[in-house]
Amino acid sequence: MAPGPRPYRRSKVPGPGLHLGECGLAVARAYLARASGDPAERRRARRHLERALGALERVELSGAFATGLPGIAWTLAHLQREGFLEPDEDLAAALDEAMLDAVASRTWKGDHEQHMGLAGLGTAALERLPRRAARRTLEHVVRHLDQGARRAGAGLTWPGEDDAGAPRYLLGVPHGVAGPIAFLARARALGVAPGRSRRLLEGAVAFLLGAELPASARSRFPYQWIPGAAGAPCRSAWCHGDAGIAAALLSAARAAREPAWAKAAIRVARSAAARPFKDAGIVDATVCHGAFGTAHLLNRMFHATRDPVLGRGARRFLGRGLQLLRAAESGRARWPELGQRGLLIGDAGMALVLLAATTHIEPRWDRALSVNISP
């Protein structure tokens, strides 16, 4: 008789980064320490952070927020801001200098997205304010975003390229226009190049809202905007689709004090909250593209708006995530990233979502997801 499926094993941590590696685990352990009062969790958080910092001495890290030096810089600043760490001025100055050097050139040749590009560097610099070097970094990031913006659809955006080198216009948070929208709104609210930031922000929101699908479509937004063509409905997750777009748009609306944007964000979020799991593309429990990520975004928007539809949707997707997680832990189900330990597609992120749903601790860690929605 063949043996039945086994519960999954956690894999090794893939590198020092924030979204996928040691820094994400450090953040999760720190919030667990706050919730439980267990000093062992605080020690574990420090060990994960020390491993990430050790990578700074051994390897040349990329400029990617998700996996490289900016995410490490964000983590240090965040844990210090939240009272988990004492400041280390020498280390902070070195990180500030490295980030400033990355954007101080006259032109920017990399991506403009949040996950692996320019907006991610900006996200890290926002967390490091009010340090002077962080503000200078932000000014350069906004300048490069201005240089890289392109007219498309109803406004402005930052196109990427497909495998054939043709431009593609993604809409989601980590790889599309929603990430720069959330960044620019916070930068402008904090007085960073306010005129330029406002112009780019308004153009980007116009592009995003102009890409919305007809009311009869299964989702409010497609995966990507295609000139002259109707986009196909997209799953509803943080990485791509309605949930992440709604959260980024509501973050921007509150920062910019734009009621019309907030109204649009809530309309999109309500649609995501009521969407069947199958149509939403929910096949796992992760933060990136799974049930817990959608639940967390809806939960944050519910606490900001007190809209009961969003509250019910948050509980519904959280329940679905728990079902999927229990099935995986018992060996009754599997998904591609099962056993990963990071923030986006692993245990760290799922633990943080559960803490946010079950405690009164404000989950300010989700600024790493370009979410800035306080009650």
Side-chain angles (χ1 to χ4, degrees), residues 317-342:
F317 276 90
L318 187 67
R320 179 58 174 164
L322 288 169
Q323 290 176 348
L324 291 166
L325 184 58
R326 288 166 182 156
E329 289 181 326
S330 67
R332 291 182 286 110
R334 296 191 66 81
W335 60 73
E337 299 92 356
L338 191 60
Q340 294 294 319
R341 300 177 64 193

Side-chain angles (χ1 to χ4, degrees), residues 155-166:
L156 297 171
T157 190
W158 295 267
E161 294 183 350
D162 63 17
D163 293 339

Side-chain angles (χ1 to χ4, degrees), residues 30-197:
Y31 275 83
L32 283 167
R34 174 167 289 174
S36 66
D38 185 353
E41 291 294 350
R42 186 177 289 267
R43 290 194 294 272
R44 293 184 185 107
R46 291 183 180 275
R47 282 201 295 271
H48 287 298
L49 190 59
E50 287 167 1
R51 290 171 189 156
L53 293 175
L56 294 174
E57 301 174 358
R58 297 192 305 272
V59 297
E60 183 178 352
L61 296 176
S62 74
F65 181 71
T67 58
L69 187 144
I72 296 175
W74 184 96
T75 302
L76 279 169
H78 183 72
L79 294 183
Q80 289 170 7
R81 190 186 295 272
E82 294 297 312
F84 293 113
L85 290 176
E86 294 297 324
D88 182 333
E89 184 55 38
D90 289 342
L91 176 58
L95 291 170
D96 287 343
E97 182 179 358
M99 290 178 57
L100 182 57
D101 285 348
V103 296
S105 60
R106 294 186 63 182
T107 59
W108 177 259
K109 297 182 180 180
D111 294 325
H112 294 84
E113 63 174 46
Q114 194 263 5
H115 195 61
M116 303 293 285
L118 187 62
L121 275 159
T123 300
L126 284 170
E127 197 70 15
R128 299 186 66 76
L129 289 173
R131 298 180 65 83
R132 181 181 177 185
R135 181 164 288 272
R136 291 174 60 198
T137 297
L138 288 168
E139 291 168 351
H140 285 300
V141 169
V142 173
R143 174 174 60 85
H144 289 310
L145 284 173
D146 193 12
Q147 292 173 349
R150 297 291 180 266
R151 287 280 171 190
L156 297 171
T157 190
W158 295 267
E161 294 183 350
D162 63 17
D163 293 339
R168 67 174 185 171
Y169 303 83
L170 300 181
L171 303 179
V173 176
H175 304 298
V177 71
I181 283 173
F183 162 74
L184 285 165
R186 285 191 65 199
R188 190 249 178 200
L190 293 167
V192 178
R196 180 180 276 174
S197 295

